[in-house]
Amino acid sequence: METGEKLNEWRKRKALSELINDNKYLFNSWRAILYTQKGKKIGYDKSWKSFTQFYLDMSPSYKKGLRLARIDKSKPFSKENCMWVTADEAAILKGDR
């Protein structure tokens, strides 16, 4: 790998690291979709294998204190089937209230 390529790769990794550090809740939400039993069972949009794509899709509507919820429980996690909700809204969607 050439020096210029190494530098570009380092810059990409640094930018991703900063994105994750600045958006820990979004990163943990994404990670839960990909790596927990529940997330693996439900499934997810293949473009979301990349945290960057998940971030681009979901960060514009995120506000601190909200949780990620699926709109239609019969469908996998995706931009079209997810929204950020309050704890009370999440409980209603789950059928707890």
Side-chain angles (χ1 to χ4, degrees):
M1 190 181 277
E2 297 290 322
T3 304
E5 291 174 11
K6 287 181 182 178
L7 184 58
N8 284 338
E9 184 63 29
W10 176 82
R11 285 181 178 145
K12 286 179 190 176
R13 289 178 188 252
K14 184 175 186 312
L16 179 59
S17 179
E18 289 171 355
L19 182 64
I20 290 168
N21 285 332
D22 292 344
N23 298 281
K24 288 187 191 283
Y25 188 82
L26 273 82
F27 177 74
N28 287 329
S29 297
W30 168 79
R31 192 173 64 179
I33 292 169
L34 265 60
Y35 299 111
T36 63
Q37 287 282 21
K38 179 181 176 184
K40 288 179 183 179
K41 182 179 177 184
I42 294 167
Y44 54 88
D45 185 297
K46 297 305 174 205
S47 70
W48 281 9
K49 281 189 174 189
S50 157
F51 172 67
T52 303
Q53 188 58 52
F54 172 82
Y55 177 83
L56 291 171
D57 287 347
M58 298 307 297
S59 67
S61 58
Y62 174 73
K63 291 181 180 51
K64 188 174 181 171
L66 298 180
R67 300 175 182 192
L68 189 64
R70 286 180 300 142
I71 298 164
D72 182 340
K73 300 296 182 199
S74 69
K75 295 181 181 177
F77 289 97
S78 68
K79 179 181 180 179
E80 297 77 23
N81 193 41
C82 288
M83 64 182 174
W84 296 105
V85 297
T86 64
D88 288 341
E89 291 167 331
I92 291 167
L93 286 170
K94 283 174 121 180
D96 293 346
R97 293 189 187 170

